[in-house]
Amino acid sequence: MDNEVINILSMAKVIQTAVAPVFLITGIAATLGVLSNRLARITDRARLLERRLKVSTDDDFNLSLTTELRALLKRSRCIHLAFSLSVLSALLVCAVVMLLFLSHIQSVNLGVTIGSCFVAAMALLIFAFMSLLCEVFLATRSMRRGMIFADVDIND
């Protein structure tokens, strides 16, 4: 077989190998969408509470608003951490794809580097999901304590 045909076939194999990490990047992008929506909702709620806190003179009400703002701050920290870890994970997956192609083009064995990047990407993604889970637990705990709906009349 012609050397050029062999190179094209081997490049096709590299492209096939790179498809799985590209799907992973798509999944991470979907996760980033979920995280940014959760952060936007937390931010909107915090802004509302801050406006109410500025105009309220009731000390008990202000204390409940401050308590909820603290809970929202904890939740936003978890989301921020999850977002950052997810982005770092996606960057490492991109590095895996790039290294796959560089390894083929330069005929250099980068197997250990590629494997290390992929393992690191998965570890970051695991921690990102754990941080998201922590935020969900905080949100659920806030609801159970009645902080979120404290100012809503249940009889409506």
Side-chain angles (χ1 to χ4, degrees), residues 19-49:
V19 168
V22 170
F23 281 120
L24 179 59
I25 293 169
T26 304
I28 293 171
T31 301
L32 290 173
V34 169
L35 293 171
S36 63
N37 282 337
R38 291 186 74 84
L39 183 58
R41 291 181 62 102
I42 291 168
T43 303
D44 290 344
R45 179 70 180 164
R47 286 182 180 149
L48 175 71
L49 295 177

Side-chain angles (χ1 to χ4, degrees), residues 35-75:
L35 293 171
S36 63
N37 282 337
R38 291 186 74 84
L39 183 58
R41 291 181 62 102
I42 291 168
T43 303
D44 290 344
R45 179 70 180 164
R47 286 182 180 149
L48 175 71
L49 295 177
E50 286 171 350
R51 281 194 302 269
R52 288 182 181 174
L53 191 60
K54 285 180 184 176
V55 297
S56 174
T57 57
D58 182 4
D59 288 339
D60 290 336
F61 184 64
N62 287 347
L63 181 62
S64 70
L65 291 179
T66 304
T67 302
E68 188 174 346
L69 279 168
R70 281 193 196 110
L72 291 172
L73 178 62
K74 288 179 187 176
R75 288 180 57 198

